[in-house]
Structure formats: C-alpha cells, structure tokens
Amino acid sequence: MSYKDLVKDANNFARILIKKKSRKVLGIYYAVWGFYSLILSFIYAILDSLNINIALLYGLIPIILVIPFAYFTVKIFGSINVDYVKLIGGKDYGMARIGYVIMILLIIMLFISFLLVSRFNLDIAYFVLSYYIYVIFIVYLLYRFLYSKYKLVDPKYYDLIAIFALLLVPLGVVSQTLYPLFIAFEIAWFYASINSLLEVSAIE
C-alpha cells in the first residue's frame, strides 16, 4: 500500500469519526433547544398564572435564557469545527466565526424589534418578520451542516422534520391559537434528538 493510499484511508476513517461525533452533537443540540423552548413555555405559563403582563419582562426572559444555551451550543460545536478544519485543511473556518457573530446580531435585532413592537404598539408582523430572519439563518446553518459540500453528517428524515417545525415557530407568536406550534417544535426536536442519539449508539 502506497503512502497516498494510507493518507486516503486515514482521511476516510477520520471523516467517519467526525460524522459520528457530529451526529451525536446534533442530537444533543436538538435536545438542548427543545429544553430551551420547554423551559421558556413553562416560565411564560407561570407569569400568565400570576397575571404578570410586563412586555419588557417577556422580551428579556428569552434573551437572558438564551445566553447559557447559546454558549453551550458554541462549545459542543467548537470541537467538531476544530477536527473538521484540520481534515479539510482550513477551508470554511472563517464562516463558522462569521456565523456566530451574525447569530448574536440577529438575537439583538429580535430583542429590539420586540421592544419597538411592544413600546409603540406596532403590528406584530414586524416582530414575526425579525423572528423569521433569525430562524431562516438557523435553517441555513443546519443546511450547511447537513447538505452542503462540506456536510458533517448524512441528513435523515427527522432532520427535515426538525427543520420544518422550526420554520413554523415564528407563527406561534401571532396568536394564542397558534401556540401549539411551539409544542410541535418541542416534540419534533426531541424526536430528532432521540433518533440521532440512537443512530450513534447503533453504530458504536
């Protein structure tokens, strides 16, 4: 076996390991943000039961809560990015950092749009539009992770279910009748999480 063959085999083996690790991380990611939505719903339910209706508080809670969840997400994906960058020779590294910056800016935009809508009684559509911009960016990141040229895992049907559920989430803020969309999101993401982790355990 030649040196080139050894390198090729080593790279193929490394890709398999990274894909396995990436699927596990994706499963954890689905669970983490499923819990985020669940905790947020629980907090809002408590506030409603106490008849607390302070717009600023409703806007601050998800922003404050998102900080530890976002930090954890960056940490778990960080190790994959390092391995991935080493494997492909440094390509696409800048995109990861740019993605983090854009995400932070979009979260700030969401908070500002919420304040403007609540303070000046603007149409809720303005907030929904901001929400969709944020969600579409998350979907784009998932697309890169699952379907792009440098994808890290092979996409499954439950990934599509999770993405579709995510795209419906912004509509949940339009009216109380659409609140079940948040429940659907939580179910879909926990389902995707369980299946992702089962997939990893099946090949170990």
Side-chain angles (χ1 to χ4, degrees):
M1 182 178 290
S2 67
Y3 174 75
K4 287 185 177 180
D5 291 333
L6 287 173
V7 172
K8 183 179 179 180
D9 289 342
N11 284 337
N12 289 336
F13 182 67
R15 288 183 183 276
I16 292 173
L17 290 179
I18 291 175
K19 281 190 174 184
K20 179 181 174 182
K21 184 178 180 181
S22 298
R23 174 52 71 180
K24 182 177 181 179
V25 166
L26 192 58
I28 295 172
Y29 168 76
Y30 286 140
V32 165
W33 289 99
F35 276 116
Y36 170 82
S37 179
L38 198 62
I39 293 171
L40 194 59
S41 298
F42 181 69
I43 292 174
Y44 283 158
I46 293 176
L47 293 177
D48 287 340
S49 67
L50 297 174
N51 293 320
I52 298 175
N53 190 22
I54 304 173
L56 180 61
L57 182 62
Y58 274 74
L60 278 175
I61 288 174
I63 299 298
I64 294 173
L65 188 61
V66 82
I67 294 173
F69 282 85
Y71 176 77
F72 181 74
T73 299
V74 171
K75 292 292 288 184
I76 62 174
F77 278 99
S79 60
I80 295 178
N81 287 334
V82 171
D83 295 337
Y84 176 63
V85 167
K86 288 179 180 178
L87 180 63
I88 64 175
K91 299 175 183 177
D92 230 27
Y93 180 66
M95 287 300 298
R97 289 190 172 184
I98 293 173
Y100 295 144
V101 173
I102 293 176
M103 190 178 300
I104 292 172
L105 293 176
L106 289 177
I107 291 173
I108 294 173
M109 177 198 68
L110 264 178
F111 180 62
I112 292 174
S113 66
F114 178 84
L115 289 180
L116 291 175
V117 168
S118 59
R119 177 68 178 82
F120 298 104
N121 294 319
L122 300 177
D123 194 299
I124 191 66
Y126 291 104
F127 177 70
V128 173
L129 177 61
S130 299
Y131 204 162
Y132 257 116
I133 293 173
Y134 170 75
V135 165
I136 289 172
F137 181 70
I138 299 299
V139 170
Y140 167 72
L141 294 180
L142 286 172
Y143 168 80
R144 286 178 59 83
F145 198 83
L146 292 163
Y147 296 99
S148 71
K149 179 181 178 181
Y150 300 111
K151 65 180 181 179
L152 293 176
V153 293
D154 294 320
K156 305 293 183 179
Y157 72 93
Y158 39 84
D159 295 312
L160 291 175
I161 293 174
I163 291 173
F164 181 72
L166 177 61
L167 286 170
L168 294 178
V169 164
L171 296 176
V173 303
V174 175
S175 70
Q176 289 186 345
T177 58
L178 295 176
Y179 279 1
L181 290 176
F182 290 105
I183 299 175
F185 167 80
E186 292 158 9
I187 293 173
W189 277 52
F190 281 128
Y191 178 75
S193 172
I194 292 170
N195 278 279
S196 294
L197 296 177
L198 286 176
E199 178 186 335
V200 173
S201 63
I203 59 178
E204 286 183 343

